[in-house]
Amino acid sequence: MQEATFLPKDTNTIQKLIITFSTLTNVELFFYSTNKMIISGHQILNTSQDIYNYLTHVNFKKVTAFPVILDNALSGFFILNVSSTLKEQVMMYRSYLDSTSGRLDQGNFHHLMVLNALDPRELQNYIGGLSLISDSTTSKDAHHKLHIINKHDKGKVVNVDKNFVNVLKYINANISKPLTLEDIAQHAYLSPSYLSRLFKNYFNVNFIDYINIRKVALAQERLALSVAPINELSHRLGFSQASYFTKIFKQKCGMTPSKYRMRNKKIKKIYTISRDLSWLKDPSVYTVSQKFFDDKGIDFKTQDLSDSTYVYAIGDLSSDENNGWIYTVNCIQPTTSPVDVSVGDKSVIQWIYTGIENF
């Protein structure tokens, strides 16, 4: 993710926003940018000495930090002194800042979005020792604060790959829950439109298609390997209505969940490989799968038949006269060797050990 570029009109508008907000709420605040600049109601500070002097006089007993997106990039944080503020009021401050920025915009300001406040752990992770401004303000302390702030690695915040990796980790950990573009963008401190473009740029799919195919693949596992009712499965996958789950499942698989379960009673094992950034370097289903199983220390055995490569054993399960391995891509079974199938715009690969009637 690119670091926001500040123009003079941008810093002036942020300064006006700070003044307006302070007047409305009687709350002290300043803006700390990712390029190590502090903007207060009356100052724009961009040298170490000026920031040093400013921090020696800051005495925020309790702080709240609101991340700010400027032109689709994390540009910095509004740091508020909330030591005399009720929790309910703090929750309203983001809306105040967001709406006030809109009134001040008048077409001269890069698109700005104020996100929800960081919790204490996130505050420490994203802006390091900035939370220490509530400590005593001797010169020695101020120097320590400045050092911690300036040692913050901007690359951790603005690097696209790391941001997107974090998005994928969050999705992996929460795939069974309701997931929206807005919620995940909020978690990653990205704008929804920018996150949507990342999915298109990296995966060549849109966000909702990626989430839905991931959920459907997980549903296939649970339909085949458990006896849980379909209504219960849909709820556990984050769908508010079983009818919508059935619609999405049929859209992706070409059949209803109940029909899939009935047809796949002989499935004994499923390995699901979900797309990540490593797929960019692996052009085929075979190479992606081989890397996946190698990384997990699972045997992935193949043989060449009629100039094509086929998989006959994964782990301790081998093909025999009754069972064998098949694979699906985006929940559909191809008719060619995995060597010949590109992962291109695909999101999920599954290796399924099942009865020969499913071949």
Side-chain angles (χ1 to χ4, degrees):
M1 185 175 182
Q2 297 298 313
E3 182 178 316
T5 301
F6 279 90
L7 301 176
K9 61 184 179 183
D10 297 330
T11 55
N12 290 339
T13 303
I14 288 179
Q15 195 167 49
K16 290 178 183 178
L17 174 56
I18 290 171
I19 294 171
T20 303
F21 179 83
S22 295
T23 302
L24 286 172
T25 63
N26 201 31
V27 171
E28 298 176 273
L29 75 159
F30 64 88
F31 180 82
Y32 177 72
S33 73
T34 54
N35 61 352
K36 302 185 180 76
M37 176 172 62
I38 284 181
I39 303 174
S40 70
H42 304 287
Q43 302 175 83
I44 298 174
L45 311 172
N46 52 26
T47 69
S48 295
Q49 185 61 50
D50 287 341
I51 294 174
Y52 172 94
N53 292 335
Y54 181 82
L55 291 178
T56 59
H57 295 92
V58 169
N59 189 26
F60 289 6
K61 299 297 183 183
K62 182 180 179 183
V63 300
T64 288
F66 293 103
V68 177
I69 301 294
L70 180 63
D71 259 11
N72 297 317
L74 179 64
S75 62
F77 306 84
F78 282 119
I79 311 298
L80 282 65
N81 179 12
V82 294
S83 53
S84 301
T85 304
L86 297 175
K87 183 178 180 180
E88 292 76 12
Q89 291 175 299
V90 174
M91 295 172 65
M92 297 174 62
Y93 287 161
R94 187 202 68 82
S95 296
Y96 286 175
L97 287 165
D98 214 28
S99 60
T100 303
S101 69
R103 290 196 299 271
L104 293 174
D105 186 347
Q106 298 179 346
N108 296 318
F109 190 57
H110 288 148
H111 178 65
L112 180 146
M113 180 184 298
V114 181
L115 303 182
N116 290 338
L118 298 170
D119 65 29
R121 183 184 302 175
E122 292 171 323
L123 178 66
Q124 190 67 23
N125 288 341
Y126 277 87
I127 45 181
L130 197 57
S131 58
L132 298 178
I133 59 176
S134 60
D135 293 346
S136 59
T137 54
T138 64
S139 295
K140 182 178 179 180
D141 290 332
H143 179 75
H144 179 59
K145 297 169 196 174
L146 180 63
H147 169 71
I148 294 177
I149 290 173
N150 284 344
K151 79 174 183 179
H152 178 59
D153 181 3
K154 290 185 292 182
K156 291 181 180 178
V157 176
V158 301
N159 183 282
V160 172
D161 288 358
K162 288 184 179 179
N163 274 290
F164 200 55
V165 167
N166 289 335
V167 165
L168 296 179
K169 286 180 179 178
Y170 182 81
I171 291 173
N172 290 339
N174 295 278
I175 192 62
S176 294
K177 300 176 182 178
L179 293 172
T180 67
L181 181 66
E182 291 72 19
D183 288 343
I184 296 176
Q186 173 73 51
H187 173 81
Y189 306 108
L190 305 171
S191 71
S193 60
Y194 187 82
L195 178 57
S196 179
R197 288 201 298 274
L198 285 181
F199 269 92
K200 290 294 291 183
N201 290 342
Y202 278 88
F203 286 179
N204 201 27
V205 298
N206 65 47
F207 169 82
I208 192 62
D209 280 345
Y210 178 78
I211 295 298
N212 281 341
I213 200 67
R214 289 283 308 272
K215 286 180 178 289
V216 167
L218 184 55
Q220 287 183 326
E221 286 190 43
R222 295 179 180 180
L223 286 166
L225 302 175
S226 81
V227 295
I230 291 173
N231 284 355
E232 182 181 320
L233 284 179
S234 67
H235 178 71
R236 289 181 179 178
L237 287 167
F239 290 93
S240 58
Q241 295 182 333
S243 59
Y244 182 67
F245 163 67
T246 298
K247 176 183 176 181
I248 295 300
F249 190 96
K250 186 175 182 180
Q251 185 183 85
K252 300 299 182 185
C253 300
M255 66 184 77
T256 64
S258 57
K259 191 171 184 178
Y260 178 87
R261 171 173 273 172
M262 182 177 64
R263 285 190 175 185
N264 292 280
K265 293 180 179 179
K266 296 294 182 69
I267 289 178
K268 298 176 177 63
K269 180 73 176 179
I270 299 178
Y271 289 103
T272 298
I273 309 172
S274 300
R275 183 166 194 141
D276 59 28
L277 290 172
S278 69
W279 288 30
L280 297 173
K281 302 175 183 177
D282 298 315
S284 74
V285 169
Y286 176 79
T287 53
V288 168
S289 301
Q290 187 177 49
K291 181 179 184 302
F292 173 83
F293 290 112
D294 284 349
D295 288 346
K296 291 186 174 296
I298 298 172
D299 288 336
F300 184 66
K301 298 178 180 179
T302 64
Q303 60 183 354
D304 293 331
L305 296 173
S306 302
D307 298 324
S308 294
T309 300
Y310 292 91
V311 175
Y312 70 89
I314 300 177
D316 57 358
L317 295 175
S318 300
S319 298
D320 55 31
E321 64 273 13
N322 297 314
N323 302 283
W325 286 98
I326 62 173
Y327 76 98
T328 64
V329 181
N330 278 14
C331 302
I332 300 296
Q333 184 179 352
T335 58
T336 57
S337 165
V339 173
D340 301 321
V341 179
S342 170
V343 294
D345 59 352
K346 310 306 180 185
S347 300
V348 176
I349 300 166
Q350 288 179 301
W351 285 94
I352 302 169
Y353 189 70
T354 186
I356 57 173
E357 61 267 29
N358 290 116
F359 280 60

